[in-house]
């Protein structure tokens, strides 16, 4: 298992996997008082967590399906990427897509975090790309005919 250094300045336990096959760990709001998200409002919600990922890894902040389905609450820049060299607090950019106010409470599970390996690419300029069956077909091009 990958080891990740973490400083927990919050009041809540460290994120953990709910099951042995879970991809993500729940992130909790670490706030002094409830935060009300009005319809279409977005806010950064602190978690109290500071992490140091190994090189070649990122943390992806993703919505929780239950909040999205039941309340229209999601992560606006999903997935949000936390780079290996970032040392600030892990924050979650929530948005309320419902027609009703939503109150975020301290300790509430507001998002999930997935740790993922990644590669960095190097651009190689060329005058021509190889041909494929799809070619330049864009949005909706590979749909049902």
């Amino acid at each position: 298992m990958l080891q990740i250094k973490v400083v927990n300045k919050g009041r809540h336990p460290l994120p953990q996997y709910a099951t042995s096959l879970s991809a993500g760990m729940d992130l909790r709001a670490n706030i002094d008082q409830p935060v009300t998200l009005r319809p279409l409002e977005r806010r950064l919600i602190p978690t109290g967590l500071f992490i140091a990922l190994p090189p070649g890894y990122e943390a992806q902040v993703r919505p929780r399906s239950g909040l999205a389905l039941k309340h229209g609450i999601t992560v606006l820049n999903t997935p949000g990427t936390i780079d290996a060299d970032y040392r600030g607090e892990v924050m979650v950019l929530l948005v309320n897509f419902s027609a009703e106010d939503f109150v975020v409470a301290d300790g509430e599970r507001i998002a999930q975090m997935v740790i993922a390996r990644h590669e960095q690419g190097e651009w190689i300029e060329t005058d021509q790309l190889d041909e494929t069956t799809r070619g330049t077909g864009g949005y909706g091009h590979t749909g049902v005919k």
Side-chain angles (χ1 to χ4, degrees):
M1 185 164 297
L2 182 69
Q3 294 185 340
I4 302 167
K5 293 180 180 179
V6 60
V7 173
N8 186 358
K9 294 184 179 181
R11 296 176 287 281
H12 309 292
L14 292 177
Q16 53 187 272
Y17 297 100
T19 71
S20 62
L21 297 178
S22 294
M25 300 174 269
D26 286 335
L27 296 174
R28 295 180 182 274
N30 188 66
I31 50 181
D32 294 327
Q33 52 190 316
V35 172
T36 300
L37 282 173
R38 304 213 184 291
L40 299 179
E41 184 178 12
R42 60 192 179 273
R43 296 275 293 270
L44 271 176
I45 307 295
T47 65
L49 301 173
F50 299 75
I51 62 175
L53 294 165
Y57 287 87
E58 67 166 322
Q60 299 174 358
V61 179
R62 301 178 180 193
R64 292 193 67 243
S65 58
L67 280 181
L69 176 64
K70 296 174 188 171
H71 304 287
I73 304 300
T74 191
V75 176
L76 191 55
N77 63 323
T78 192
T81 293
I82 300 170
D83 295 309
D85 57 353
Y86 176 68
R87 294 297 180 268
E89 183 174 8
V90 174
M91 305 282 275
V92 177
L93 180 55
L94 288 183
V95 63
N96 181 355
F97 282 133
S98 78
E100 300 174 6
D101 288 357
F102 179 79
V103 178
V104 179
D106 182 49
E108 184 163 0
R109 297 178 300 155
I110 56 170
Q112 59 181 322
M113 177 186 285
V114 173
I115 307 300
R117 184 181 291 271
H118 70 82
E119 298 288 332
Q120 287 188 332
E122 178 182 354
W123 296 110
I124 300 172
E125 287 195 59
T126 184
D127 292 329
Q128 188 173 352
L129 301 176
D130 59 311
E131 296 292 326
T132 67
T133 303
R134 180 176 180 172
T136 60
Y139 293 97
H141 178 75
T142 60
V144 177
K145 294 183 181 187

